[in-house]
C-alpha cells in the first residue's frame, strides 16, 4: 500500500473584505477535495491572518487525480449566528499538483462565488504530493472551537438523516430539513484520537472509521496558465490592476511598478600616498569591500601609488550579515597579497539618500593598520543607503552577483544591467543599368560576357551575365540593408565570365553610403556614371578618378529608402512599425512601463559546488530599445525589481521578455546563454492605466518535450497620452505607405529581414556587456520560417477552428431543414419571411445581432493578456521524432535512413494536400465549363435553362421567388429524396481539366 497523500499548507491571507461593524473580519478557510473538507482555525478580527496549518487528503481514485479540483473557500465567523459571510474562493486544478520537493508557496487571488458576491485579497497556499511515511492521513478529534478545524466525508455505511417538520399557517405549508450528516476529521498534533461524527442540526456525535490511504500518480503535468498576483509595489499593493487604498507608500521617483529594495552603496574612488614596497617600488593596489560573507573586489592597478578605481558596490539590506562594512586596501602579490590598510563604517551611522537628492560627495579617509593606528595613506570613499532609483544602481556590482573568483572588469560588465539601442536600418535600392567600354585586358578583341557583383559588408549579390558586347546592359534592381552610422561602402565589381568556373575582374567602383541620396517617397531618383579602377584603393581615390577622362564606366542608380519599415523580427511579433526616416514619425500615443519583479521555481541549469543553480538575467525588447537586467548569481528564485519605460507609437505591437542563463560563468568561455523561457505581451490587449501583475510560466520546447522552467513575475502598465490619436491608429494602415505604393515581395522581405538581423547581431555583440547571437535570435524568432511538423499541425488546427463557426452554422441549418426541432424550424420560417418581406431590415438585424453578441461576451473578457497556449501550439501531444526534426539544423546532419523516413512522411502529407487542392480546382473548373462549350450538351442545357429562368424571374416578383426558394430549401424531410438533386447531378457531370493532367 502506497503512502502518497495530497498535502495543503494554508499559509496566510491578506487584503480580505471587511464584514463586521468593527471594519474587520474573523476569517477561516474551508478546503474541499474529493468529498473531503478541512477547516482551519479562526483568526478573530484579523483581515491579514497567518495560519501555517497543514492538511493531508486521501485520494479516492488516483487515476483521476488530474481531473480533480482543490477548492479553498474563505469565510468569516460571526459569533452568535449560524451565518458565515463569504470572503472569496480559490480553485486549484489537479494538473498543477507537484511533488513536495518542487512545491512553492503561491498567492492565489480570491474569486467571487457569483456575480453578486464580493471578494478581494489573496490566499497563500502550498499544494503538494508527498510519500513521506512519517506523515499519516489526518485523524479526527473532537472540535472545541467554532467553526471547527476539520474535514468531512459522507460515511459509506450511513444514510443522510433528514427530519421533516410540517408546519401549517392558514394555507401555507413548508418542509424543514436538517442538514446532512457529515463526518469531520481533525489533524492530530502528537497523539491519535477517535473519529467523531457531527450533525450540526442535532449536535449528535458518534464514531466513524477513517479512510484508508490510496495511491496517487505524482507525474501530473505542470500548470501552464498565467496567474494573477497582488504584490506590494512602490506605489502600494496591486489588486485587480489598481492600487488598494490604505497601502500607498512613498515611492522612490518613478519606480512604482517594482518592490522597493534597499541597498548599501559603497563607491571606491581613489587612493593617495600609498606606501612603496621594500625593494620592488610602487604597489599593485586593489580594494576589498567586505560585509559579513559578501566581498567585492576592485581591479588591481600595476605600479601605482595614487590609483583611481571609481567602482561602486551594492549590498542588499535584507541579506546583510554584519553591522560593520570594511574597506581593505591590499597589494597584489604572486604569492600572498600584502595588507596595506583598512577603513571601517558602522552601518547605524550610514546616511540615507533618496533621489532627487544630489549624489553623495566622496570623502578622504585615512587608512588604519592592523593595530588600529592611523597611517598617512588615504582613500576616497562614499557610503550611503539607497534604492534601485539611485543613479549608481546601473553601474554597481551587486552582492547577489558577486562571484568567489574576482570582480574584474570583464566579469563585472557581464553582471550589470544595461540598455541597448538597435541601429537605425535603411533599405538601399541599387539599380545596375549599363556599362561602357568594357575591355578585357588579356584579349582585347574578344567580346566580354560581363556581370556586376554588388557587395556591402557581408551582403553580396550579382547580376545576370549579359550578352557578348563591349557595352553590356542589365537594368536589374537589388535591395540591401545598411545601418547608421554608415561604416561600409558600396563596392561594384564588373567581371567577365570567361569560362565555366572562371571569372576575370574588369574593374571596381566604390560608392560611400553617405554620398547616396535619400528619399522618403516614391519620387524618381537620379543615376550616375562611375569610373572603374583596378583596385578598391584606387577606386576610393577621388583625385585619381577626376583625372581619368577615358575609361570603363558603369551606370548606376542608388537611393536610401526612408519610407519603408525595415523588419528585423517576425512580422507577427513586431514591436515597431515606424518608417526609417525620422520626419515621417508620428507623435507617440502613450508610454509602456515594465517592472521585472522576480522569478520563482527556476530549474537548475548548471552545477556549482555539487548543487544545481542558475545565473539568470532578463532581456526585454520593444522597438529599437533593448534592456537587460543584472545577472543574479547562484539563485533559483532571483529578485530583479528593475523598471523600464518605452514610448508607444502603435498599439498593434508586441513586447517580448525572455529569461536566459548567463553562460559567461559556465565551464569554458564558449558556453552559450541557455534559454529559460519567453513572454510576449501584445499592447492592444492591455487596458490603459491598469497595472497588470501576473506570474507567467516560462515554457521552453526542447528535443525531449515541453518543459516549464519556472515562473516570471512582471508588472506592466500601458498609459495612453492621447485617446483620440490611439483610436485613429485603428483606421490607419499598419505599415508605412511605401509598402503599399511600391510593395516588396514576400521572399525579398524575408531575405532582407535575415540581413537586418545579422547587422543587429553584429552591432549588439560589440556592446559591453554584449548581447550574444543566441539571445538576439531567440528574442526575434529568427528561425520561425523553418519547417516544423508540429507547427504545421498547429496551423491546420487553427485553420479548422476559424471555420468551425461556419461549419456549426451549416450543421444547425441542416437540423432546421430536417425539422429535428419543429419549433425552431417554424421560428426560422417566420424570421426568413420577415427578412424577405422587409429586406431593409437585413443589415440592421445582422449588425444588431453582432453588437448584442459583443456586449454579451464582455462578461467573459480576458482578465490578463494571453500567453503561450500549449494546446494551440500542439506542444503537449507532439512526438519525439517530430521534435528532433524541428530542432535539426539546416541543412540536416542526420543519418540517411532518418532523412529518408522523414522525407517519405513529408511526401504523404504533401500528397494529401495535393489531392485537396486538386479537388478544389476541379470544382472551379466545372463552374467555368458551364459556358465554355467543352461539353456541348451540358452547355446547351444550361443556356436554355438560363433563358427560361430569366423569363420566369421577369414576370415573377423577386420577393415571391426568394420566399419560395427558401421554403423549398427548408422543406420537410417527407418531401425530400435520398438521391442527389438534379442540379447537383448536372454539376457533377461537368468536365474538369483533370482529364488533361499527365
Amino acid at each position: 500500500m502506497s503512502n502518497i497523500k495530497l498535502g495543503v499548507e494554508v499559509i496566510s491571507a491578506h487584503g480580505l473584505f471587511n464584514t463586521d461593524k468593527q471594519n474587520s473580519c474573523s476569517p477561516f478557510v474551508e478546503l474541499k477535495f474529493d468529498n473531503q473538507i478541512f477547516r482551519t482555525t479562526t483568526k478573530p478580527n484579523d483581515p491579514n491572518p497567518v495560519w501555517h496549518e497543514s492538511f493531508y487528503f486521501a485520494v479516492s481514485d488516483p487515476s483521476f487525480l488530474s481531473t480533480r479540483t482543490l477548492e479553498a473557500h474563505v469565510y468569516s465567523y460571526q459569533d452568535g449566528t449560524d451565518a458565515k459571510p463569504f470572503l472569496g474562493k480559490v480553485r486549484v486544478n489537479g494538473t498543477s499538483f507537484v511533488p513536495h520537493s518542487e512545491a512553492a508557496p503561491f498567492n492565489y487571488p480570491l474569486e467571487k462565488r457569483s456575480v453578486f458576491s464580493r471578494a478581494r485579497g489573496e490566499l497563500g497556499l502550498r499544494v503538494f504530493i508527498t510519500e513521506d511515511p512519517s506523515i499519516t492521513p489526518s485523524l479526527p478529534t473532537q472540535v472545541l472551537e467554532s467553526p471547527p478545524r476539520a474535514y468531512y466525508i459522507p460515511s459509506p455505511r450511513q444514510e443522510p438523516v433528514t427530519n421533516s417538520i410540517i408546519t401549517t399557517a392558514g394555507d401555507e405549508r413548508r418542509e424543514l430539513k436538517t442538514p446532512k450528516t457529515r463526518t469531520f476529521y481533525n489533524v492530530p498534533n502528537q497523539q491519535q484520537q477517535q473519529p467523531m461524527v457531527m450533525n450540526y442540526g442535532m449536535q449528535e456525535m458518534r464514531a466513524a472509521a477513517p479512510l484508508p490511504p490510496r495511491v496517487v500518480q505524482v507525474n501530473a503535468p505542470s500548470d501552464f496558465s498565467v496567474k494573477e498576483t497582488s504584490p506590494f509595489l512602490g506605489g502600494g499593493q496591486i489588486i485587480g490592476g489598481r492600487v488598494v487604498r490604505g497601502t500607498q507608500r512613498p515611492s522612490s521617483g518613478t519606480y512604482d511598478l517594482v518592490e522597493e529594495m534597499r541597498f548599501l552603496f559603497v563607491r571606491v574612488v581613489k587612493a593617495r600616498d600609498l606606501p612603496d614596497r621594500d625593494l620592488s617600488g610602487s604597489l599593485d593596489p586593489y580594494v576589498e569591500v567586505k560585509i559579513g560573507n559578501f566581498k567585492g573586489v576592485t581591479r588591481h592597478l600595476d605600479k601605482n601609488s595614487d590609483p583611481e578605481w571609481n567602482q561602486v558596490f551594492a549590498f542588499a539590506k535584507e541579506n546583510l550579515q554584519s553591522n560593520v562594512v570594511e574597506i581593505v586596501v591590499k597589494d597584489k602579490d604572486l604569492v600572498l597579497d600584502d595588507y596595506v590598510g583598512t577603513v571601517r563604517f558602522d552601518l547605524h551611522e550610514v546616511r540615507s539618500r533618496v533621489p532627487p537628492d544630489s549624489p553623495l560627495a566622496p570623502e578622504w579617509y585615512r587608512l588604519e593598520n592592523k593595530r588600529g593606528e592611523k597611517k598617512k595613506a588615504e582613500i576616497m570613499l562614499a557610503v550611503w543607503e539607497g534604492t534601485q532609483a539611485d543613479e549608481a544602481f546601473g553601474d554597481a556590482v551587486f552582492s547577489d552577483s558577486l562571484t568567489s573568483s574576482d570582480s574584474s572588469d570583464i566579469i563585472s560588465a557581464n553582471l550589470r544591467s544595461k540598455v541597448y539601442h538597435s541601429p537605425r536600418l535603411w533599405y538601399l535600392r541599387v539599380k545596375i543599368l549599363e556599362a561602357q567600354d568594357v575591355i578585357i585586358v588579356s584579349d582585347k578583341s574578344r567580346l566580354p560576357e560581363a556581370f556586376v557583383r554588388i557587395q556591402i559588408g557581408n551582403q553580396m549579390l550579382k547580376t545576370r551575365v549579359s550578352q557578348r558586347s563591349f557595352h553590356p546592359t542589365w537594368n536589374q534592381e537589388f535591395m540591401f540593408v545598411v545601418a547608421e552610422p554608415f561604416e561600409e561602402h558600396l563596392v561594384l565589381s564588373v567581371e567577365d565570365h570567361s569560362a565555366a568556373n572562371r571569372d576575370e575582374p574588369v574593374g571596381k567602383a566604390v560608392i560611400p553610403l553617405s554620398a547616396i541620396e535619400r528619399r522618403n517617397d516614391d519620387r524618381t531618383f537620379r543615376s550616375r556614371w562611375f569610373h572603374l579602377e583596378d583596385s578598391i584603393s584606387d577606386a576610393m581615390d577621388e583625385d585619381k578618378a577626376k583625372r581619368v577622362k577615358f575609361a570603363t564606366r558603369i551606370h548606376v542608380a542608388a537611393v536610401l529608402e526612408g519610407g519603408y519599415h525595415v523588419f528585423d523580427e517576425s512580422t507577427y511579433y513586431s514591436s515597431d512599425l515606424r518608417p526609417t526616416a525620422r520626419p515621417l514619425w508620428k507623435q507617440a500615443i502613450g508610454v509602456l512601463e515594465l517592472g521585472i519583479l522576480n522569478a520563482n521555481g527556476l530549474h537548475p541549469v548548471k552545477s556549482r559546488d555539487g548543487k544545481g543553480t542558475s545565473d539568470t538575467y532578463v532581456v526585454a525588447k520593444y522597438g529599437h530599445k533593448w534592456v537587460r537586467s543584472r545577472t543574479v548569481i547562484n539563485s533559483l528564485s532571483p529578485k530583479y525589481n528593475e523598471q523600464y519605460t518605452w514610448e508607444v507609437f502603435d498599439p498593434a505591437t508586441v513586447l517580448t521578455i525572455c529569461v536566459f542563463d548567463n553562460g559567461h560563468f559556465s565551464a569554458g568561455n564558449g558556453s552559450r546563454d541557455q534559454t529559460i523561457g519567453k513572454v510576449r505581451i501584445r499592447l492592444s490587449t492591455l487596458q490603459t492605466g491598469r497595472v497588470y501583475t501576473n506570474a507567467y510560466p516560462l515554457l521552453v520546447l526542447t528535443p525531449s518535450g515541453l518543459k516549464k522552467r519556472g515562473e516570471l513575475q512582471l508588472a506592466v502598465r500601458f498609459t495612453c497620452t492621447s485617446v483620440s490619436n490611439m483610436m485613429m491608429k485603428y483606421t490607419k494602415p499598419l505599415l508605412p505607405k511605401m509598402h503599399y505604393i511600391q510593395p516588396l515581395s514576400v521572399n525579398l522581405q524575408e531575405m532582407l529581414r535575415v540581413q537586418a538581423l545579422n547587422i543587429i547581431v553584429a552591432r549588439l555583440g560589440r556592446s559591453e556587456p554584449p548581447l550574444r547571437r543566441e539571445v538576439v535570435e531567440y528574442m526575434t524568432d529568427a528561425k520561425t520560417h523553418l519547417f516544423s511538423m508540429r507547427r504545421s499541425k498547429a496551423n491546420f488546427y487553427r485553420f479548422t477552428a476559424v471555420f468551425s463557426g461556419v461549419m456549426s452554422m451549416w450543421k444547425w441549418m441542416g437540423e432546421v431543414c430536417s425539422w429535428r426541432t419543429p419549433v425552431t424550424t417554424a421560428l426560422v420560417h417566420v424570421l426568413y419571411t420577415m427578412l424577405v418581406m422587409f429586406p431593409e431590415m437585413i443589415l440592421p438585424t445582422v449588425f444588431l445581432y453582432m453588437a448584442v453578441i459583443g456586449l454579451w461576451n464582455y462578461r467573459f473578457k480576458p482578465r490578463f493578456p494571453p500567453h503561450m497556449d500549449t494546446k494551440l501550439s500542439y506542444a503537449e501531444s507532439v512526438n519525439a521524432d517530430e521534435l528532433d526534426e524541428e530542432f535539426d539544423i539546416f541543412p540536416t546532419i542526420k543519418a540517411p535512413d532518418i532523412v529518408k523516413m522523414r522525407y517519405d512522411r513529408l511526401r504523404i502529407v504533401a500528397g494529401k494536400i495535393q489531392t485537396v487542392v486538386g479537388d478544389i480546382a476541379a470544382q472551379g473548373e466545372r463552374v467555368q465549363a458551364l459556358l465554355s462549350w467543352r461539353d456541348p450538351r451540358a452547355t446547351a442545357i444550361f443556356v436554355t435553362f438560363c433563358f427560361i429562368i430569366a423569363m420566369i424571374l421577369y414576370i415573377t416578383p423577386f420577393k415571391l421567388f426568394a420566399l419560395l426558394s427558401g421554403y423549398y430549401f427548408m422543406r420537410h424531410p417527407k418531401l425530400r429524396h435520398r438521391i442527389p438533386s438534379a442540379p447537383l447531378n448536372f454539376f457533377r457531370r461537368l468536365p474538369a481539366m483533370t482529364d488533361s493532367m499527365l
Side-chain angles (χ1 to χ4, degrees), residues 21 87 117 154 218 286 319 375 381 395 423 495 575-576 601 685 687 754 779 800 808 839-840 895:
K21 297 180 180 180
L87 301 181
S117 62
V218 299
Y286 69 94
N319 296 330
K375 303 177 66 176
L381 302 170
D395 297 327
E495 301 180 12
S575 59
D576 185 20
T685 62
Q687 298 180 20
V754 174
M779 292 283 294
T800 57
S808 300
E840 65 275 6

Side-chain angles (χ1 to χ4, degrees), residues 559-786:
V559 66
L560 289 169
E561 299 281 7
Y564 289 93
H565 168 71
V566 182
F567 286 97
D568 59 344
E569 52 195 345
S570 177
T571 55
Y572 299 105
Y573 317 126
S574 293
S575 59
D576 185 20
L577 300 172
R578 292 173 295 171
T580 301
R582 288 184 180 273
L584 300 180
W585 290 6
K586 303 298 182 181
Q587 185 180 3
I589 63 172
V591 177
L592 174 64
E593 299 171 272
L594 171 66
I596 305 174
L597 303 181
N598 54 67
N600 293 320
L602 297 181
H603 286 200
V605 177
K606 60 189 70 170
S607 178
R608 185 175 293 130
D609 298 331
K611 297 181 180 179
T613 185
S614 292
D615 308 324
T616 57
Y617 64 93
V618 181
V619 179
K621 179 190 183 299
Y622 183 78
H624 293 172
K625 182 178 177 181
W626 301 60
V627 298
R628 168 177 173 159
S629 73
R630 71 182 192 277
T631 300
V632 180
I633 302 295
N634 293 335
S635 177
L636 299 179
S637 298
K639 291 184 178 181
Y640 306 101
N641 288 309
E642 299 182 22
Q643 183 171 341
Y644 302 94
T645 59
W646 290 268
E647 281 188 319
V648 178
F649 295 88
D650 197 310
T653 47
V654 177
L655 169 67
T656 304
I657 308 105
C658 298
V659 183
F660 298 91
D661 178 80
N662 199 328
H664 185 83
F665 304 96
S666 302
N669 295 330
S671 300
R672 295 166 54 90
D673 290 355
Q674 298 191 31
T675 58
I676 296 180
K678 178 188 295 183
V679 176
R680 295 195 198 100
I681 301 176
R682 184 169 290 273
L683 268 62
S684 58
T685 62
L686 303 178
Q687 298 180 20
T688 56
R690 177 178 176 179
V691 180
Y692 289 85
T693 54
N694 302 103
Y696 294 87
L698 298 174
L699 306 177
V700 175
L701 193 63
T702 64
S704 59
L706 181 66
K707 302 293 183 182
K708 178 182 177 182
R709 293 185 172 177
E711 290 186 346
L712 178 65
Q713 295 193 23
L714 302 173
V716 181
R717 178 171 59 202
F718 173 40
T719 305
C720 179
T721 57
S722 177
V723 178
S724 60
N725 290 343
M726 184 177 67
M727 293 301 180
M728 288 299 296
K729 275 292 182 181
Y730 284 89
T731 64
K732 299 295 181 63
L734 187 65
L735 299 175
K737 66 178 183 179
M738 282 295 292
H739 286 271
Y740 306 100
I741 297 175
Q742 292 185 359
L744 305 176
S745 64
V746 177
N747 293 334
L748 177 60
Q749 191 166 292
E750 184 63 27
M751 183 193 70
L752 294 175
R753 187 179 76 89
V754 174
Q755 295 179 7
L757 180 63
N758 291 332
I759 293 175
I760 292 178
V761 168
R763 291 291 180 90
L764 297 181
R766 287 162 26 184
S767 305
E768 191 65 36
L771 280 181
R772 298 189 176 186
R773 170 176 288 272
E774 60 268 19
V775 174
V776 178
E777 289 182 349
Y778 186 70
M779 292 283 294
T780 56
D781 293 284
K783 299 181 180 180
T784 54
H785 63 283
L786 298 179

Side-chain angles (χ1 to χ4, degrees), residues 208-224:
L211 289 176
R214 303 270 169 71
V215 179
V216 179
Q217 295 179 352
V218 299
N219 55 349
S222 302
D223 187 7
F224 299 149

Side-chain angles (χ1 to χ4, degrees), residues 290-295 319-326:
K290 297 191 298 183
I291 178 170
N293 293 331
F294 295 104
K295 180 177 68 173
N319 296 330
L320 297 183
Q321 302 169 345
S322 175
N323 294 326
V324 177
V325 56
E326 296 184 4

Side-chain angles (χ1 to χ4, degrees), residues 812-878:
W812 176 80
M813 198 63 195
E815 294 178 358
V816 170
C817 295
S818 62
W819 291 72
R820 178 171 297 181
T821 307
V823 176
T824 303
T825 305
L827 292 177
V828 172
H829 278 73
V830 173
L831 178 61
Y832 180 74
T833 304
M834 293 177 60
L835 294 178
V836 172
M837 298 305 296
F838 304 97
E840 65 275 6
M841 296 297 296
I842 295 178
L843 291 180
T845 302
V846 171
F847 285 104
L848 180 62
Y849 179 70
M850 290 191 293
V852 171
I853 291 179
L855 293 176
W856 177 261
N857 291 338
Y858 181 80
R859 302 169 57 239
F860 312 105
K861 66 177 181 178
R863 297 175 55 189
F864 36 79
H867 188 50
M868 310 294 182
D869 192 333
T870 56
K871 294 183 179 179
L872 180 67
S873 305
Y874 207 73
E876 295 181 348
S877 56
V878 63

Side-chain angles (χ1 to χ4, degrees), residues 857-969:
N857 291 338
Y858 181 80
R859 302 169 57 239
F860 312 105
K861 66 177 181 178
R863 297 175 55 189
F864 36 79
H867 188 50
M868 310 294 182
D869 192 333
T870 56
K871 294 183 179 179
L872 180 67
S873 305
Y874 207 73
E876 295 181 348
S877 56
V878 63
N879 58 54
D881 181 69
E882 293 178 356
L883 283 176
D884 184 68
E885 180 184 16
E886 182 173 349
F887 284 93
D888 190 13
I889 64 175
F890 186 85
T892 182
I893 57 174
K894 297 297 181 180
D897 54 343
I898 297 179
V899 177
K900 179 179 179 298
M901 181 268 295
R902 292 173 178 173
Y903 174 68
D904 292 340
R905 180 178 61 192
L906 186 60
R907 290 179 62 190
I908 294 174
V909 175
K912 295 179 180 178
I913 298 175
Q914 170 185 293
T915 303
V916 173
V917 173
D919 293 341
I920 296 175
Q923 305 307 320
E925 292 167 354
R926 284 172 178 160
V927 174
Q928 295 175 349
L930 288 172
L931 300 173
S932 66
W933 293 92
R934 190 178 179 194
D935 186 342
R937 285 171 295 275
T939 304
I941 294 173
F942 182 72
V943 170
T944 305
F945 175 77
C946 290
F947 274 115
I948 296 174
I949 290 298
M951 290 185 290
I952 293 176
L953 292 179
Y954 180 76
I955 63 176
T956 304
F958 177 77
K959 293 183 180 180
L960 179 61
F961 174 78
L963 208 61
L964 294 178
S965 300
Y967 289 164
Y968 177 79
F969 180 74

